[in-house]
Amino acid sequence: MKFEKEFASQTVPEWREVYMNYKYLRTLLEQILIFRQRQPQGSNQPNRPKPSRLLKRKVSLTRAFSGLTNKSVTKHKEDEVIVVNAMQQADEEQQGDHECPRYQTIFLRSSEDGGDLELVFFKGLDDEFNKVIRFYKTKVEEVVKQAAELSNQMDVLIALRIKVNNSSIEVSEERQEDHQKRLDDADEHKMADLEVLNRVKINATTETPRSTVRNVFNSLNVDLNYNKSELKLAHRKLKQAFLEFHEQLRFLKNYAFLNQMAFSKIMKKYDKITSRNASDVYLQMVEESYLSQSDEVAKLIERVEEVFIKHFCNGDRQQAMNILRLKAKREKHMVTFFVGCFFGCSLALLVAIITSVHARNLLQGEEHTKYMNTIFPLYSLFGFIVLHMLMYAGNIYFWVRYRVNYTFIFGFKQGTELGFKQVLLLTSGLSVLMLAAVLSNLEMELDPQTENYKAWTELLPLGLVIVLVLVAICPFNILYRTSRFFFLVSLWHCICAPLYMLTLPDFFLADQFTSQVQLLRNIEFYVCYYGWGDFKKRDATTCNESNTFEIISIVIAVIPYWIRVLQCIRRFCEGRDSTQAMNGLKYLSTIAAVVSRIIYIRRRGTSLKILAASTSGVATIFNTYWDIVMDWGLLCKDSENPWLRDKLILPNRFVYFIAMVLNVVLRLAWMQTVLDFHEAPFLHRNALIAIVASLEIIRRGIWNFFRLENEHLNNVGKFRAVKSVPLPFSYEDEEDKDL
């Protein structure tokens, strides 16, 4: 692997803009190389190696810096190529904050042929190095401040721990001294300043609906009660804060190492192309700079690990290191094998179903109508799930390919996120179960023992639903328990909106349900068919002709959009962001369109048709604009990429235009209900509904990719690479402090 690819693969995606631009500098070197190759053999140029082997040397990040640690070589003045000066002055944007030296390289051979190209190279090299130094110094200062805050939080936690452990009696000064002598931690060996507890409050959480309601009437910070529940909560929050802080420190350490390596490699390439010896001087400057000499990050890493071992792992170093330094997941060949196996079985079952239907003339006449009105909606539910999971697997594949940090955006626990192969494994497994149940149901109809539609024959779809629910809530550590729990928690937050603090996974999941309205209606049909319908005779008349069923159907269709409205209200109340108010109006317009369309389908009439068409048109325009402009960040008229945005991840710009057109076309699919295309001569009504629902799922899958791409670019613009964890304690006098 070339160094450039290896370098790019190990960078922090959110900091990509502030790494050394190796590709740009390599391009400048290629221009110098081309110029030198075009010079005649007798020109006044120094000897150089054969150009065919100049840029083919393989490199590895595991090698030494190749010059960063070498001692400077004594040169005669006539052999000097560059002189590097460090100007101790503040940058314009940093005046009054902190001074950052700016390095400038003076090229001493500019009079030679092609010297102007080398001047451009060193100008770009200086700009990149100054950019790296400036960012690194700023980040180091930030983590030093964070470390001080975490240290204060630990002092409070230790004091709270002592207070809670001695809460049964009043602790006297003598008892405190005796207790301190028995403590193992060196920090706790000193007199614990329990008075610090009188100056702090515990940050109230919004993790339950009860606490949310309480916080509406009370302040966000509450007095300490010195109980074990507060201690447990503070311990958990502070542990997570240390984990995120340690990850940020590792990012900074890796940032310094990779950039030093990049400057070493680019200077070695320069020496090979020009046959000069300028790398020693420049790399000596790099070695003596803040990027190499600063040891704050290394010291902080050691200190954080010591504290984490003592306070959060009971002195077990191995356990602490396993938590702090999670190893990258290894791809298992077994997963790939079973994915292929299950997909092969799915294709075989699908062929068997089609063959059985056509060869035996099944599903003809009245039986065909019964099947499409009852069994088809029952099994199409699983088809919608499978299609959505396929789209999600495709999203993950392209997110990983184009380095969209979806694990950080969603907040997955490191090492537990599902890759696209794991999602495909679950998808293919569910597909096999669904198709096997469909084939079994068809075959049972020909069996004399089950031809009267006995109960156990018709209960196959319900049994499959029960299996899925049991697997989802299974408490055992099988079938990706962490991911299942994450999904259930987000689902519960959606159900209880707006009583929980809103996070991206919550409203992202709610948006998925707005594209699965037909799936929710199928769940309603399950309840009605097996609860009030005569499923033994495949009779769903009670459900389809019931006014109560019609009203519930409208409510079911509205629920996903109403959840998003409540979530927008919560976000508006938290941040007073007018954008969230507009977003809520968008979903209210969609609710009006959905209700009017359902009423029109049921009642008919010219006035209802006009109402349905107008509300649907407004909602379509509103939603399409929001998708493309707000969620995707596209259609920026004055951007560097006309009608897109300044920064794009996909290399081909036309993909964005295709996605925008598809979004508009697929959103118009719901207009078929208004334009009387709800039935087709060659398709049953339920089949057409399933096709339209599938198109909406595909549209949502496309939306998912560009929505997360835009979120990732927003994080890149703000250099957000780690989660912001709320700390458990706040000081009474820190309201005016900028922490």
Side-chain angles (χ1 to χ4, degrees), residues 412-593:
F412 293 139
K413 184 178 178 181
Q414 187 177 1
T416 63
E417 70 279 1
L418 297 183
F420 78 96
K421 290 184 180 179
Q422 286 76 24
V423 177
L424 286 178
L425 178 64
L426 298 175
T427 305
S428 58
L430 177 58
S431 177
V432 170
L433 290 177
M434 176 191 69
L435 294 174
V438 172
L439 184 62
S440 299
N441 196 286
L442 289 174
E443 294 296 328
M444 286 177 181
E445 294 182 18
L446 300 179
D447 193 329
Q449 297 181 358
T450 59
E451 62 182 0
N452 292 325
Y453 306 115
K454 292 183 179 180
W456 64 276
T457 305
E458 295 297 302
L459 287 175
L460 276 175
L462 181 61
L464 190 53
V465 170
I466 294 174
V467 169
L468 288 182
V469 173
L470 292 177
V471 169
I473 64 176
C474 178
F476 302 109
N477 192 15
I478 57 175
L479 290 176
Y480 312 115
R481 182 181 63 179
T482 304
S483 297
R484 288 189 285 108
F485 181 76
F486 186 91
F487 171 78
L488 293 175
V489 169
S490 296
L491 178 61
W492 178 248
H493 288 181
C494 292
I495 295 174
C496 296
L499 298 179
Y500 282 94
M501 181 179 292
L502 194 63
T503 60
L504 188 142
D506 300 336
F507 68 77
F508 191 86
L509 180 61
D511 278 325
Q512 307 308 303
F513 281 116
T514 61
S515 296
Q516 285 284 13
V517 172
Q518 191 56 42
L519 178 143
L520 298 177
R521 285 174 174 166
N522 286 358
I523 294 176
E524 176 199 7
F525 183 76
Y526 266 88
V527 176
C528 183
Y529 184 65
Y530 288 106
W532 293 277
D534 192 355
F535 66 90
K536 295 181 181 180
K537 296 182 179 180
R538 261 187 207 171
D539 187 4
T541 304
T542 306
C543 298
N544 294 330
E545 298 180 0
S546 171
N547 291 331
T548 303
F549 185 83
E550 178 181 347
I551 296 174
I552 295 176
S553 178
I554 297 176
V555 174
I556 289 292
V558 166
I559 285 177
Y561 303 102
W562 181 244
I563 289 175
R564 288 296 289 123
V565 171
L566 295 178
Q567 290 178 337
C568 291
I569 293 175
R570 174 62 187 260
R571 295 184 71 184
F572 174 76
C573 294
E574 288 177 349
R576 299 296 177 182
D577 185 1
S578 60
T579 303
Q580 295 304 319
M582 295 298 296
N583 200 16
L585 289 177
K586 178 193 73 173
Y587 288 107
L588 286 176
S589 70
T590 306
I591 290 174

Side-chain angles (χ1 to χ4, degrees), residues 130-142:
N130 289 319
K131 175 185 71 177
V132 169
I133 286 287
R134 185 165 54 248
F135 177 79
Y136 183 70
K137 188 176 180 64
T138 302
K139 281 296 179 181
V140 169
E141 292 177 351
E142 289 180 5

Side-chain angles (χ1 to χ4, degrees), residues 211-230:
S211 62
T212 302
V213 174
R214 185 175 65 245
N215 290 335
V216 173
F217 304 99
N218 299 327
S219 61
L220 294 177
N221 301 325
V222 296
D223 293 328
L224 287 167
N225 295 318
Y226 310 114
N227 53 47
K228 291 185 177 180
S229 62
E230 287 181 342

Side-chain angles (χ1 to χ4, degrees), residues 657-680:
F657 293 103
I658 293 176
M660 287 189 283
V661 172
L662 283 176
N663 185 274
V664 175
V665 172
L666 294 177
R667 272 204 176 275
L668 290 174
W670 66 6
M671 294 294 288
Q672 54 84 24
T673 56
V674 181
L675 300 176
D676 291 333
F677 293 153
H678 59 283
E679 291 184 1

